[in-house]
Amino acid sequence: MKINKLSIAVLFLSGSMFYAQETKQDTIIKEKKIDGVVIQGSSNKKTETAVLGEQRKAIIQKQAVSAEEISRKGISNVEQGLTKVTGITTVEGRGLFVRGLEERYNYLLINGLGSPSNNPFQKIIALKQFPTDVVGKLNIYKTFNSNLYGDFAGATFDIETLTIDKPFTKVEFSVGVNTLSTFRNNFKIAEGADGMNGYLGLNSKDRRLPDEIRNSRPDNYKFTPGQSLNSFKDSWNVDNVKSMPNTSIGFTTAQKVKMGDTGNLGILFSLNQGSKFEYKEGDNHQFKGQGQGSFIENMNFLNRKQYNYEIESSVLLGLGYKNKGTNVNLNAIYLQNVNNIIEDNYGYKDGQVLNKTTFFRTNQLDISRFLDLQLTASQKINERHQVKAGASYVINNYQQPDRKIIEGNRIDPTTGTRLSDENIAMRYGGNNIIRQYLDVDSRFYGSAFAEYQLSLGEKGDRKDFPIQIAVGYNGFSDFRKTSYRFIFGRTSTSSAPFVINIDTPQDVFNASLRNGDLYYQEGSDVSQFYSSFYQIINGGYANVNLKPSDSWDILLGARYENDMTLIRYSEQSAENKINLDKNKDFFLPSLSVKKALNNKNNLRFSFSKTVTRPILIETMPITYINPDNVNIVGNPAIKNSENYNFDLKWEYFPTNKEMFAVNLFAKRIDNAIERSLVASGNATGSTITFFNAKKADLFGIELEGIFSLGRISEALRSFTLGANATIMHSDVERSQDQLNMERPDWFALTGETLRKRGLQGASPYTINADLKYELKNRNNLAHTFSLVYNVSGSKIYATGGAGTDNYYEKPFNQIDFVYQGQLTKNWNVKFAVQNILDSKYKILIGDKNYLPTNFEQGNNTLTNYYRGTTFNLTVGYTF
């Protein structure tokens, strides 16, 4: 990557707005009530001490990661920050797991406003795209209160944008190398993707559907030779480059302007852009059972090489006015992610064991654009009355334009010998040349909230009013359309096999297009190419916070939520669309009780009922095609889960920088949503699809502590140990659909039954720990060294079927080292070593299959790969 790209990129980005807030010294008297949670509003919320203080005072169970902790641990994005919290871990490409629950059980707020996902394969925004330079605090709610959206079982995350203590301007530059990916020769990248258009994501325009069919319904349109040559702007060729170090640049400025005698106008602008090269190599297998008396054997046995060139861009711009009890904030957030992927597979698929020289390549571009415009305001009328409101509008689009798939084999058709690595043999015909176009486009997304707060009774000499009431509304509307189309390479003659260089096939294809041996033709199903998704959530709520004494807090909540969901789609080859209406009402009660045993000990209890809505891909009425014939099939009929949540927690705060907590929790999840991996109905390949279980029961314990090692020895007073662990057990009662899918046919004759199993995605344990050493030199400049560790236990990636065991995602142990130093008043430096152990990521088929196994080379791996160790240096200057 060239430095000039970074400067030009500044012209392209656009971003978010944050208001400025004055910070004053901590006082006990200046407390304010927000959403039923007592927050010491005059404290500096960016410090770890202030966050612990807020956690101690909060009525509901709320944890947070402060801006200070984000900086100390070298956290560069929100996803990394959230993995430092008890019971939260990130899973490769599938977002955040909370208490062992998949990402579908989480929900995201940005400054209290709802946010849609910018990726149909994930429930919430890929939070690694959200830079932490403008984050004041990451709030994590693990217990429900009625002012939160009812879509809650794991956690609700709320990203609070940065508050400004004083004006500053900061520039950061980062460079990183990876032991597996950096300086790799022949790193494959789509032709032109490493140019300026690719760097800014503008190359997606060249990959759009051709003009001839873009605005029309599929009708098997056959492109003429001239159209086949000229209407497709993107090439089948790939470039071989040397992968360079990962780089990023960030610029943030925050300014305050005096407005009248008591008002302030805050202005914040932040721009971030980074690029990353990533290489993965490993197994990509599939398995199938052939029925009673047979074996479980390989369907696919492939070696996969994947090349990712990813560019992330964000701009955040904000204005905020504050004057006594008035706050008005205008925010805008723009996020863009561009991921160029080349994936090569070698081996055999579809059970064609004798054809072990199959080769296929996917040339894919994933691009998402997300613009969130927010306006929020609050007004404190007097000591007893406060109102607040907010609204957002989101423009959101996800595309996989011109996803090109080419297939051949490694045997020379003339000599029968193996071809060199850069060549393959192929012939026109069949489905060995495919172009796919997926577009998930937001027609409209809007979110809003409004709340009135009232305090009753007399405080006397107490800190708070004895009765605090809040009534309000929040909701969102999410309208999306999905277009999924296919164009195939066809031939009108019997094509003889020929050999091509897999990296430069375009000239050969062009010659064939000119002489009529090859043409393009759309092959989309006219009934399935287009579907629509409409969802309107309206929620009204009321909270009553009773404070019979300074040591008791009782928060009663009730929420009514109306879910109007409509999916319009067609069954394959159907003439008319189906309107699947899922309109449903939910009443969601909540209770939170906090007893302050003394000023250092809290006892908490909470109960709530909530719902869980599926990820978009889980309900999208399409069959998402992959070249290894592992397809994803959405289930439009899938139901929302209904959850019953219980928590009992004891907290101990020996000092303002230390804490210890024990939390017992239990959940009943009716209609729990689970992923399954089963053989396809057409006997080739396999299918990932989704079903509701009848119910799932979970219970577990969370342990968390932050301790100064000075308690052990004065010589260790500069060391702090933070550790948290979650241990959980789950049990599932399968639905009839799951029994039909998982139970082998012969069980009806033998009377055998399926074994009990846990909830798909639920991990039996999660451990996070960090050891911090902090010192200050004679100029009072801080230097911090942190060693950070996390792991989660073996969990079900997908349930099996037809005699196979489940597929298990194995533990991935990660240790990171982070140094942060303030070299001078203006210069700071961070150095991080990530994934020091370089563990292998693995998904394996279990060893409790209902049939004997006959795996190729004895290999029971579904997929695996290494990520390499990354060394990253960041230098920043603040003025």
Side-chain angles (χ1 to χ4, degrees), residues 438-510:
L438 173 65
D439 191 345
V440 182
D441 193 24
S442 174
R443 290 178 169 179
F444 173 81
Y445 182 93
S447 173
F449 71 83
E451 183 177 284
Y452 168 65
Q453 299 172 8
L454 170 66
S455 297
L456 299 176
E458 299 298 330
K459 286 197 297 185
D461 58 356
R462 292 166 52 186
K463 296 181 294 184
D464 300 299
F465 288 98
I467 303 175
Q468 299 174 358
I469 299 172
V471 293
Y473 161 86
N474 53 22
F476 67 83
S477 297
D478 187 3
F479 304 158
R480 305 195 202 194
K481 62 178 181 180
T482 300
S483 173
Y484 192 36
R485 303 179 74 156
F486 296 82
I487 295 175
F488 295 90
R490 301 299 192 197
T491 184
S492 54
T493 61
S494 178
S495 171
F498 56 92
V499 175
I500 60 169
N501 184 305
I502 188 56
D503 291 340
T504 56
Q506 189 64 53
D507 287 344
V508 175
F509 291 169
N510 286 347

Side-chain angles (χ1 to χ4, degrees), residues 537-551:
I537 304 295
N538 288 299
Y541 63 87
N543 289 330
V544 179
N545 184 197
L546 304 174
K547 298 175 179 287
S549 70
D550 283 342
S551 64

Side-chain angles (χ1 to χ4, degrees), residues 222-232 237 428 490-493 504-520:
K222 180 178 177 180
F223 291 82
T224 67
Q227 291 171 338
S228 297
L229 279 168
N230 301 315
S231 297
F232 298 88
N237 293 347
Y428 298 131
R490 301 299 192 197
T491 184
S492 54
T493 61
T504 56
Q506 189 64 53
D507 287 344
V508 175
F509 291 169
N510 286 347
S512 299
L513 291 168
R514 291 188 186 96
N515 62 29
D517 290 339
L518 174 68
Y519 62 89
Y520 290 118

Side-chain angles (χ1 to χ4, degrees), residues 578-589:
I578 296 171
N579 291 324
L580 185 58
D581 190 349
K582 299 183 179 183
N583 194 354
K584 192 165 185 180
D585 297 312
F586 298 97
F587 176 70
L588 308 174

Side-chain angles (χ1 to χ4, degrees), residues 704-719:
E704 181 178 17
I706 303 172
F707 300 103
S708 169
L709 298 190
R711 291 179 171 271
I712 301 173
S713 169
E714 181 64 20
L716 300 176
R717 67 183 183 277
S718 298
F719 288 89

Side-chain angles (χ1 to χ4, degrees), residues 373-667:
L373 305 174
Q374 300 184 338
L375 176 63
T376 61
S378 65
Q379 177 67 54
K380 187 173 183 179
I381 301 170
N382 55 39
E383 194 176 29
R384 293 181 180 271
H385 303 271
Q386 181 173 330
V387 294
K388 65 176 184 177
S392 68
Y393 173 69
V394 177
I395 301 171
N396 188 25
N397 178 256
Y398 175 87
Q399 293 178 297
Q400 285 182 353
D402 201 2
R403 184 180 186 230
K404 293 183 284 294
I405 299 167
I406 184 171
E407 183 171 339
N409 65 70
R410 309 297 299 282
I411 299 300
D412 190 315
T414 304
T415 65
T417 58
R418 190 179 182 88
L419 292 165
S420 58
D421 288 346
E422 67 272 14
N423 293 321
I424 66 165
M426 63 177 298
R427 69 170 72 221
Y428 298 131
N431 293 328
N432 55 3
I433 296 178
I434 305 175
R435 311 180 89 129
Q436 295 179 11
Y437 299 81
L438 173 65
D439 191 345
V440 182
D441 193 24
S442 174
R443 290 178 169 179
F444 173 81
Y445 182 93
S447 173
F449 71 83
E451 183 177 284
Y452 168 65
Q453 299 172 8
L454 170 66
S455 297
L456 299 176
E458 299 298 330
K459 286 197 297 185
D461 58 356
R462 292 166 52 186
K463 296 181 294 184
D464 300 299
F465 288 98
I467 303 175
Q468 299 174 358
I469 299 172
V471 293
Y473 161 86
N474 53 22
F476 67 83
S477 297
D478 187 3
F479 304 158
R480 305 195 202 194
K481 62 178 181 180
T482 300
S483 173
Y484 192 36
R485 303 179 74 156
F486 296 82
I487 295 175
F488 295 90
R490 301 299 192 197
T491 184
S492 54
T493 61
S494 178
S495 171
F498 56 92
V499 175
I500 60 169
N501 184 305
I502 188 56
D503 291 340
T504 56
Q506 189 64 53
D507 287 344
V508 175
F509 291 169
N510 286 347
S512 299
L513 291 168
R514 291 188 186 96
N515 62 29
D517 290 339
L518 174 68
Y519 62 89
Y520 290 118
Q521 184 171 16
E522 181 167 15
S524 310
D525 188 309
V526 68
S527 64
Q528 287 200 307
F529 83 101
Y530 182 85
S531 59
S532 301
F533 174 87
Y534 306 90
Q535 186 172 55
I536 301 174
I537 304 295
N538 288 299
Y541 63 87
N543 289 330
V544 179
N545 184 197
L546 304 174
K547 298 175 179 287
S549 70
D550 283 342
S551 64
W552 280 96
D553 273 298
I554 302 171
L555 184 62
L556 295 167
R559 180 180 182 85
Y560 164 76
E561 199 165 270
N562 174 249
D563 182 341
M564 294 184 289
T565 298
L566 174 67
I567 303 174
R568 298 193 72 236
Y569 71 103
S570 299
E571 298 286 358
Q572 190 166 6
S573 301
E575 293 184 4
N576 299 316
K577 283 193 175 294
I578 296 171
N579 291 324
L580 185 58
D581 190 349
K582 299 183 179 183
N583 194 354
K584 192 165 185 180
D585 297 312
F586 298 97
F587 176 70
L588 308 174
S590 63
L591 169 66
S592 295
V593 180
K594 186 188 83 169
K595 169 62 176 174
L597 303 176
N598 52 46
N599 63 354
K600 292 186 177 181
N601 290 269
N602 290 332
L603 191 63
R604 301 175 181 274
F605 170 77
S606 66
F607 161 77
S608 63
K609 180 184 178 183
T610 59
V611 299
T612 296
R613 299 181 176 94
I615 301 171
L616 189 59
I617 190 63
E618 296 174 344
T619 192
M620 280 173 63
I622 66 171
T623 298
Y624 180 78
I625 305 295
N626 284 307
D628 58 3
N629 283 344
V630 182
N631 303 323
I632 303 175
V633 178
N635 180 1
I638 206 161
K639 301 176 183 177
N640 294 336
S641 302
E642 297 189 32
N643 320 306
Y644 300 85
N645 314 288
F646 299 85
D647 284 81
L648 179 63
K649 185 175 185 180
W650 169 65
E651 297 174 326
Y652 173 53
F653 298 85
T655 69
N656 64 354
K657 293 185 177 181
E658 297 178 300
M659 66 87 65
F660 177 74
V662 180
N663 185 34
L664 303 175
F665 66 91
K667 294 179 184 291

